[in-house]
Amino acid sequence: MHNQHKILRVLQLISLLKKEPAKSIKFLAGILKSTDRTVYRYLDLVKELGFDLQRDPHSRFFIVSEEPKETIDFSPEEASLLRKMLLSTGSKSNLKDGILRKIYLNSEIVIQGNHLLNAHLGKIVSDLSKAISQNKQVVLKKYLSANSNSSSDRWVEPISFTDNYTSLCAYEVETGVNKYFNIERINEVELLLASYEHQDQHQFDQPDAFGFTALNGLPFQIDIRLNVRAFVLLKQEYPMTIPFVKQEPKTGNYRLKLKINNPKPVIRFVLGLLDEVEIIGSAKFKQYLKNYVMTTLEKNKSDFDNL
């Protein structure tokens, strides 16, 4: 467990140092919940991993970021080991250093954002991973529901994580339904002694890039052109769409092409940026969007008339 937390803190440190402004030792120690001496040790490790670590005139540290000369991809073996390193006690392997040198050289690697860099969330992921590997039930303590805006304990049998470890798919014992739980809304995980009792009812459907599974219905193929601003907003709000976006060399714009399971998040995104996106396809999605807009306007016609 010590090795796991060390890796998580080094990842968090790299993320902090790559963002302006430069950070002082005391600031970093406070964020990482470590001593100044420990932070200095982590900084030495960052330098050993090949990052260009610099100190400004006020003794604040930062990493000089440079665009990689070529795209850096993880091999299947490295990706598998990275998962184990993050979710367990770590491993002594020749692949280990190679993976760490690549982390955050490419800002669009599979593990996006800072949610796994938070030691608290890292422990939650670790506890859930342990329960999955041992087929054990757990209680998600004080889980905050977005629908009811209230928190409650959830007794579940964890099944699998979604891509990017943003959500947990689990069978909820009380309701008898397979549900998805946002990792960031879990306050704590209580590991139970009881083993799975409903494994025959477990079902895992990988969500699409917008967070919806096939169980949500209404599948569509979409093709959308975005300008630079729209692309930046898309990355921030829906980072899992990044692998499906390609830049158009001639125009500098971006194209998002993929299959989605539910049109609602895409429609909300498009309607908020009408001057900065263009719907190329599919014809089915364009027709659905047209009907959605017309229906919405008709429902709110009386409100517009009263303006």
Side-chain angles (χ1 to χ4, degrees):
M1 191 64 68
H2 171 74
N3 288 338
Q4 176 211 353
H5 287 166
K6 180 178 179 181
I7 292 169
L8 290 171
R9 288 194 175 97
V10 170
L11 292 176
Q12 187 180 22
L13 178 62
I14 292 171
S15 177
L16 289 168
L17 293 173
K18 286 176 71 71
K19 298 175 182 178
E20 296 182 350
K23 314 296 191 303
S24 68
I25 292 295
K26 289 198 175 296
F27 175 84
L28 293 171
I31 293 294
L32 300 176
K33 297 181 180 179
S34 301
T35 64
D36 292 3
R37 180 179 296 181
T38 299
V39 172
Y40 277 115
R41 288 203 302 267
Y42 289 164
L43 291 176
D44 289 338
L45 179 57
V46 169
K47 287 190 288 187
E48 290 177 9
L49 293 174
F51 290 95
D52 188 359
L53 182 66
Q54 299 290 333
R55 185 200 303 244
D56 70 9
H58 304 286
S59 294
R60 294 175 298 194
F61 291 86
F62 63 97
I63 288 177
V64 178
S65 300
E66 295 181 358
E67 290 296 326
K69 295 181 180 179
E70 59 183 34
T71 301
I72 296 174
D73 298 313
F74 289 106
S75 69
E77 294 79 10
E78 289 176 338
S80 176
L81 180 61
L82 176 58
R83 180 177 182 275
K84 292 177 182 177
M85 289 166 61
L86 291 174
L87 302 181
S88 65
T89 60
S91 174
K92 294 181 179 179
S93 168
N94 292 331
L95 291 174
K96 181 177 175 182
D97 289 342
I99 293 173
L100 289 176
R101 287 190 181 95
K102 292 178 181 179
I103 292 172
Y104 279 93
L105 284 177
N106 182 351
S107 61
E108 296 178 359
I109 59 175
V110 175
I111 298 180
Q112 294 287 337
N114 294 323
H115 66 282
L116 271 183
L117 306 183
N118 181 298
H120 169 67
L121 295 180
K123 185 178 186 305
I124 288 176
V125 172
S126 178
D127 289 343
L128 291 171
S129 180
K130 180 179 178 180
I132 292 172
S133 66
Q134 298 179 357
N135 292 342
K136 295 293 186 181
Q137 296 181 347
V138 303
V139 175
L140 307 180
K141 306 290 288 185
K142 298 181 180 179
Y143 180 77
L144 179 61
S145 171
N147 294 326
S148 64
N149 197 29
S150 61
S151 61
S152 60
D153 293 348
R154 305 293 187 93
W155 177 22
V156 304
E157 296 180 354
I159 301 171
S160 180
F161 296 103
T162 62
D163 286 346
N164 208 28
Y165 297 92
T166 54
S167 298
L168 169 76
C169 176
Y171 176 85
E172 188 172 42
V173 177
E174 183 178 359
T175 61
V177 177
N178 292 291
K179 296 183 178 181
Y180 289 82
F181 299 90
N182 189 306
I183 297 296
E184 293 186 343
R185 296 180 191 154
I186 302 174
N187 184 64
E188 184 183 351
V189 174
E190 179 185 348
L191 299 173
L192 302 179
L193 296 177
S195 299
Y196 288 171
E197 297 178 359
H198 310 278
Q199 197 162 3
D200 59 330
Q201 299 183 53
H202 290 187
Q203 183 176 347
F204 174 66
D205 292 294
Q206 182 68 50
D208 62 21
F210 290 89
F212 282 84
T213 70
L215 297 175
N216 301 119
L218 293 178
F220 286 94
Q221 192 72 33
I222 63 170
D223 183 356
I224 302 175
R225 178 177 287 119
L226 311 94
N227 66 11
V228 175
R229 180 174 179 273
F231 171 59
V232 170
L233 293 174
L234 179 72
K235 286 201 304 180
Q236 293 175 346
E237 190 168 356
Y238 301 105
M240 296 304 292
T241 61
I242 292 172
F244 303 96
V245 179
K246 303 295 181 183
Q247 188 171 22
E248 298 178 328
K250 293 184 178 179
T251 65
N253 290 325
Y254 295 83
R255 291 281 289 274
L256 171 66
K257 296 182 181 181
L258 77 161
K259 181 180 178 180
I260 59 173
N261 293 320
N262 193 296
K264 290 182 179 179
V266 183
I267 289 176
R268 286 195 294 267
F269 181 82
V270 168
L271 293 182
L273 297 165
L274 285 177
D275 294 334
E276 301 178 78
V277 300
E278 178 185 358
I279 308 298
I280 307 299
S282 63
K284 178 183 175 183
F285 177 72
K286 293 173 73 173
Q287 185 60 49
Y288 183 91
L289 176 60
K290 179 180 178 181
N291 293 340
Y292 176 88
V293 172
M294 293 180 63
T295 302
T296 302
L297 290 175
E298 185 64 29
K299 287 182 178 179
N300 294 278
K301 186 176 183 301
S302 59
D303 294 333
F304 284 115
D305 292 340
N306 294 328
L307 291 178

